[in-house]
Amino acid sequence: MALPGPSTMFLLLPFDSLIVNLLGISLTVLFTLLLVFIIVPAIFGVSFGIRKLYMKTLLKIFAWATLRMERGAKERNHQLYKPYTNGIIAKDPTSLEEEIKEIRRSGSSKALDNTPEFELSDIFYFCRKGMETIMDDEVTKRFSAEELESWNLLSRTNYNFQYISLRLTILWGLGVLIRIALAFTGISLLVVGTTVVGYLPNGRFKEFLSKHVHLMCYRICVRALTAIITYHDRKNRPRNGGICVANHTSPIDVIILASDGYYAMVGQVHGGLMGVIQRAMVKACPHVWFERSEVKDRHLVAKRLTEHVQDKSKLPILIFPEGTCINNTSVMMFKKGSFEIGATVYPVAIKYDPQFGDAFWNSSKYGMVTYLLRMMTSWAIVCSVWYLPPMTREADEDAVQFANRVKSAIARQGGLVDLLWDGGLKREKVKDAFKEEQQKLYSKMIVGNHEDRSRS
Amino acid sequence: MGSGGSRAAQIPDADRIRRETGFSQATLLRLYHRFRALDSNKKGYLSRVDLQQIGALAVNPLGDRIIDSFFPDGSLRVEFVDFARVLAHFRPIDDDTGTRDPKEPEPPNSRMNKLRFAFQLYDLDRDGKISRHEMLQVLRLMVGVQVTEEQLESITDRTVQEADEDGDGAVSFMEFSKSLEKMDIEQKMSIRILK
């Protein structure tokens, strides 16, 4: 007699109701767990410490995996690709003048005091410098995802990926499903909540509710991303009438900061899902959204921001002055617009731990939704947030100097490299002013001498 | 377990390139990684635009000439093979010149080949001579608008006169290398790669 196959099992009544019951029970358990462990703490802002435990376990797993990979590579005598954060070539930090003088000295048999105007060998300096930048340059490095020296089980951050085990993959898959469910909850609650609050008449009750709805939804999103955030110096948190300035690595920065404080946001009006969220949020609380065309008009932007800031009852503004996402190893030039307004600036440094997942958003490579999915399929997002003491513009410095001062403070605190290059380099070619500087330096060497000679 | 294997296997013609250029396996891997980072749309080759995007190269007065050296004969793409070949000119000189077989072609990082590379930066039309006009062009690139035409011309005339031995008004490769014979080319045209 043939054994009943799975299809026939479902026709047998006692099994049928059993499965339905099991399904019902497991769903209820799941929802209760969600409620108790995630939503309720989100409302009150407490944490069970589950995520910290998760983080410790992950670290142990990563160490084990890296060892395993190295052993495997040694057995097969293969070369493991080991990235170096300090760059591929040895660079000598000498200036243009010094190097060219050295080149001339080593090749010329003429007396040293009679320095010639131009030598055929001068070209070597520019040629070598050019080749060095082709092999390795500071800026392109900043814009690709940071390379890791140990491995974190995500194939996309390491070239030596090998498949490790089935159990880990299942665990990872479960995590992704839970996160997607949470993200969905968080976003829909935000949209619905803020719309509902928007219908209330203006007043203290509305503000109170709005603040808590915002905070709750951001905290749910934080848990959806499994973000483990450590806040330092919370006594320096931004206050009303100020501007909060932070370095920018990804759109998640907004969620991270907004889950710990109530801010007015500034940004471009987007289409799609972001647009829906933006429109709902502005009903409950006065955020400042700009149309694309308005963004180009700097005076208009400055005017609106100034109006907002001068109203002391209004919330602190959250601004990312770099203008674009950088890969979290450095801080690029800050645009001076937000520093001209004259309000108190509260700098914030955000540093992600790259071991757990690469948070950098390369906007030329991924769209927003792809990026968020990548974030949710990483193991976790671990970052530290430092609230720095407030700064104001001194009488004798202009907006650019003030911006640089704030930038250095943020870079120093977060352990990020302070670079002078413009963040816009990612999409535009660089300005000719820098090239002119080099040409000026070199011309002085060949023509400056000529003038001395003609006088004698 | 696992079927991955290191990425060296993915570099096309890895062995041939290694023999031609003399780069070590590790260095080649690093250069390949760099090649892919510069390749903005993951095309598998580099175009002029990819190299022009390097900010530090765009401020180099000879930036365009250097980029041209990667695209000989009007080609529009640089494959990894060609990329490695050009960069091989800047490898530090090996110490084994005494034991090398003289019948084999010179490695790309020999003194002669380094000089030839620099010569080609001057010699745009590749006729084997640097004419007065070509010298003027390179000088103009290096000084921009900071120097007047007369000054530049007098500098050019003097330089060509000093180097020109057979009096044809242009600097051939032989004359070029003779005027630089005391130069420590090996050091000035080499880039040390970290291990």
Side-chain angles (χ1 to χ4, degrees):
Chain A
M1 176 170 111
L3 287 163
S7 49
T8 50
M9 283 243 218
F10 281 95
L11 296 175
L12 300 168
L13 273 168
F15 282 109
D16 201 4
S17 57
L18 183 62
I19 288 172
V20 168
N21 278 336
L22 272 177
L23 211 59
I25 294 178
S26 54
L27 273 176
T28 320
V29 168
L30 190 67
F31 275 123
T32 322
L33 277 175
L34 264 180
L35 197 69
V36 171
F37 282 109
I38 293 175
I39 297 186
V40 170
I43 299 179
F44 294 106
V46 294
S47 167
F48 276 122
I50 297 180
R51 282 172 290 155
K52 294 234 160 57
L53 186 65
Y54 175 58
M55 183 171 91
K56 289 204 184 85
T57 325
L58 276 181
L59 276 172
K60 293 208 186 91
I61 298 182
F62 292 164
W64 166 80
T66 315
L67 273 173
R68 209 146 161 204
M69 201 173 66
E70 283 177 355
R71 232 188 305 141
K74 240 182 249 167
E75 283 167 18
R76 270 175 280 123
N77 268 332
H78 273 171
Q79 191 80 329
L80 261 192
Y81 175 64
K82 269 191 160 231
Y84 288 101
T85 41
N86 288 328
I88 181 177
I89 46 186
K91 291 208 182 107
D92 303 314
T94 43
S95 72
L96 184 150
E97 264 193 70
E98 287 170 19
E99 277 227 34
I100 294 195
K101 281 209 183 104
E102 224 198 283
I103 296 180
R104 288 181 181 173
R105 221 179 302 137
S106 78
S108 173
S109 51
K110 304 184 192 138
L112 277 174
D113 55 351
N114 194 10
T115 359
E117 301 170 335
F118 165 70
E119 283 287 321
L120 283 170
S121 54
D122 289 348
I123 200 178
F124 289 175
Y125 169 76
F126 291 111
C127 182
R128 199 189 86 209
K129 272 273 172 294
M131 281 300 166
E132 275 179 1
T133 63
I134 291 186
M135 279 192 176
D136 194 13
D137 81 303
E138 286 296 312
V139 177
T140 313
K141 226 173 25 179
R142 302 293 159 208
F143 285 120
S144 35
E146 188 179 0
E147 298 174 340
L148 288 179
E149 290 195 23
S150 78
W151 188 47
N152 69 348
L153 299 172
L154 292 172
S155 59
R156 44 178 182 252
T157 48
N158 188 297
Y159 281 149
N160 298 315
F161 172 64
Q162 294 164 37
Y163 176 71
I164 288 270
S165 96
L166 182 63
R167 267 170 288 168
L168 273 176
T169 317
I170 291 185
L171 185 66
W172 173 82
L174 254 177
V176 172
L177 281 173
I178 297 181
R179 281 191 210 117
I180 293 185
L182 276 179
F184 194 63
T185 322
I187 295 180
S188 41
L189 266 178
L190 181 66
V191 171
V192 167
T194 47
T195 319
V196 164
V197 170
Y199 285 125
L200 294 173
N202 284 340
R204 295 221 21 217
F205 183 58
K206 176 179 184 178
E207 264 191 57
F208 175 76
L209 258 194
S210 166
K211 176 171 180 184
H212 284 272
V213 165
H214 271 102
L215 280 176
M216 176 184 81
C217 297
Y218 282 124
R219 289 193 191 124
I220 296 182
C221 287
V222 158
R223 281 159 174 82
L225 294 165
T226 329
I228 304 167
I229 312 170
T230 322
Y231 294 99
H232 303 263
D233 298 327
R234 294 184 76 215
K235 59 184 189 298
N236 289 328
R237 276 197 312 179
R239 283 180 216 145
N240 284 2
I243 300 185
C244 176
V245 155
N247 62 314
H248 201 23
T249 303
S250 84
I252 295 182
D253 294 343
V254 176
I255 300 181
I256 288 179
L257 286 180
S259 61
D260 191 45
Y262 189 33
Y263 298 100
M265 314 224 173
V266 174
Q268 261 183 23
V269 169
H270 285 103
L273 182 62
M274 276 295 295
V276 172
I277 300 178
Q278 282 178 330
R279 278 194 293 274
M281 279 169 62
V282 86
K283 289 197 186 113
C285 153
H287 299 293
V288 185
W289 303 123
F290 290 102
E291 296 291 328
R292 266 229 144 81
S293 49
E294 288 177 336
V295 172
K296 298 258 172 70
D297 186 352
R298 282 191 34 217
H299 293 293
L300 191 63
V301 172
K303 187 156 114 20
R304 277 182 75 178
L305 288 179
T306 320
E307 276 169 14
H308 185 110
V309 151
Q310 276 164 356
D311 185 348
K312 286 292 171 216
S313 67
K314 291 248 172 91
L315 307 161
I317 301 182
L318 184 56
I319 287 189
F320 297 101
E322 276 161 314
T324 182
C325 291
I326 312 291
N327 81 342
N328 208 227
T329 56
S330 58
V331 177
M332 293 242 171
M333 216 185 255
F334 275 9
K335 303 253 180 340
K336 61 179 171 142
S338 17
F339 298 92
E340 285 173 326
I341 299 177
T344 321
V345 169
Y346 295 88
V348 177
I350 306 178
K351 173 84 173 133
Y352 291 86
D353 189 341
Q355 262 198 315
F356 291 92
D358 178 30
F360 167 56
W361 182 32
N362 190 341
S363 56
S364 46
K365 255 171 118 180
Y366 309 108
M368 170 81 86
V369 181
T370 322
Y371 170 72
L372 284 176
L373 278 175
R374 272 171 61 101
M375 283 301 100
M376 290 200 271
T377 52
S378 308
W379 289 107
I381 295 176
V382 179
C383 64
S384 299
V385 175
W386 286 273
Y387 290 104
L388 299 168
M391 295 180 163
T392 40
R393 191 165 77 162
E394 317 252 323
D396 58 342
E397 61 179 1
D398 65 358
V400 177
Q401 289 168 331
F402 181 41
N404 282 336
R405 193 159 60 94
V406 173
K407 178 169 76 99
S408 309
I410 293 184
R412 223 178 315 126
Q413 180 63 68
L416 309 161
V417 173
D418 190 357
L419 281 190
L420 213 54
W421 288 106
D422 195 337
L425 256 182
K426 205 164 54 159
R427 285 178 269 264
E428 302 166 26
K429 296 192 197 170
V430 81
K431 301 181 179 59
D432 288 320
F434 286 111
K435 189 194 271 199
E436 259 190 57
E437 258 185 58
Q438 288 220 24
Q439 287 170 332
K440 277 200 198 126
L441 270 174
Y442 182 64
S443 317
K444 250 191 278 186
M445 290 195 79
I446 30 176
V447 171
N449 294 330
H450 182 81
E451 281 176 357
D452 293 336
R453 271 237 217 114
S454 62
R455 252 182 264 129
S456 64
Chain B
M1 65 172 299
S3 57
S6 72
R7 283 276 163 133
Q10 297 211 4
I11 303 179
D13 290 330
D15 288 323
R16 180 163 73 97
I17 301 179
R18 225 169 346 127
R19 255 181 294 121
E20 272 186 37
T21 59
F23 283 125
S24 67
Q25 178 79 321
T27 310
L28 210 58
L29 203 51
R30 298 197 57 83
L31 288 177
Y32 187 62
H33 180 66
R34 174 70 177 165
F35 179 79
R36 281 165 49 117
L38 289 174
D39 179 7
S40 45
N41 298 330
K42 296 287 164 271
K43 313 180 280 297
Y45 57 87
L46 293 180
S47 64
R48 255 175 216 277
V49 177
D50 292 324
L51 289 174
Q52 284 165 344
Q53 296 284 28
I54 304 176
L57 188 60
V59 299
N60 189 317
L62 292 179
D64 284 329
R65 286 289 172 105
I66 294 174
I67 294 178
D68 282 341
S69 64
F70 282 92
F71 298 91
D73 317 319
S75 60
L76 292 172
R77 327 170 147 203
V78 187
E79 312 277 340
F80 182 62
V81 176
D82 310 307
F83 184 71
R85 276 199 201 122
V86 172
L87 291 178
H89 289 294
F90 290 82
R91 210 159 62 78
I93 292 197
D94 311 308
D95 297 319
D96 61 349
T97 38
T99 59
R100 205 173 45 83
D101 179 1
K103 278 196 235 79
E104 272 189 25
E106 276 187 21
N109 64 334
S110 70
R111 186 195 162 86
M112 203 42 75
N113 279 325
K114 283 185 202 280
L115 273 173
R116 205 171 305 229
F117 188 82
F119 186 78
Q120 278 172 350
L121 284 178
Y122 280 109
D123 184 17
L124 253 191
D125 56 8
R126 306 262 193 251
D127 63 354
K129 289 201 212 293
I130 306 175
S131 68
R132 188 176 164 282
H133 180 65
E134 285 169 340
M135 175 91 56
L136 202 58
Q137 277 184 318
V138 175
L139 266 171
R140 180 54 74 193
L141 278 178
M142 292 203 276
V143 304
V145 299
Q146 307 297 326
V147 177
T148 65
E149 191 69 25
E150 298 88 44
Q151 282 171 322
L152 221 55
E153 295 211 352
S154 71
I155 292 176
T156 313
D157 286 330
R158 192 189 57 80
T159 315
V160 174
Q161 251 174 13
E162 277 180 8
D164 188 14
E165 290 187 345
D166 58 8
D168 60 354
V171 182
S172 71
F173 182 61
M174 281 295 118
E175 292 161 352
F176 183 74
S177 43
K178 185 127 184 284
S179 76
L180 293 173
E181 63 189 345
K182 292 203 185 54
M183 172 93 29
D184 182 12
I185 307 276
E186 288 81 348
Q187 226 246 322
K188 294 305 162 193
M189 285 278 276
S190 297
I191 299 177
R192 262 188 315 131
I193 297 185
L194 294 172
K195 296 243 177 298

